[in-house]
Amino acid sequence: MGGGGCMGGGGGRGAPDAGDIQRFAQRYPLDEAAYNYLVNSPPDVQMTVLQSFSPPRQGESDYSALLISFAKRCRQGMPMGPGPAAQQSQQQQ
């Protein structure tokens, strides 16, 4: 399995800064699509990925697929915020 388990939110500590994400990408090389997926993820998902991503093997040349899979699981585990999509979904039920 790639990347270990998504352990939930980042504890509400805010979004990691660009330097945190750059250091992560240097440690775990990513292609542009995976990098953009991470950068465009909600702040709690970004923090969780940076803190909890633990691939089974170190030293790989590309962690893109593992990272996207892990981040996607984290995104799916996050509660929807009170945005228009969440309100519309609740009204339809």
Side-chain angles (χ1 to χ4, degrees):
M1 229 29 88
C6 182
M7 303 304 280
R13 296 190 314 158
D17 64 31
D20 293 332
I21 293 174
Q22 276 298 113
R23 284 186 290 279
F24 179 86
Q26 287 174 349
R27 181 174 180 186
Y28 301 112
L30 306 172
D31 64 20
E32 186 175 355
Y35 181 84
N36 289 335
Y37 192 87
L38 177 58
V39 168
N40 293 313
S41 292
D44 281 352
V45 171
Q46 292 177 7
M47 189 62 72
T48 299
V49 169
L50 268 58
Q51 293 175 344
S52 302
F53 182 71
S54 179
R57 291 184 304 271
Q58 300 293 318
E60 296 288 322
S61 62
D62 188 350
Y63 290 91
S64 300
L66 291 172
L67 177 110
I68 290 175
S69 176
F70 182 78
K72 194 175 288 189
R73 284 195 308 273
C74 293
R75 281 184 176 192
Q76 291 169 347
M78 295 288 159
M80 289 178 57
Q87 292 170 356
Q88 185 178 21
S89 175
Q90 291 173 353
Q91 289 172 358
Q92 291 176 353
Q93 291 178 358

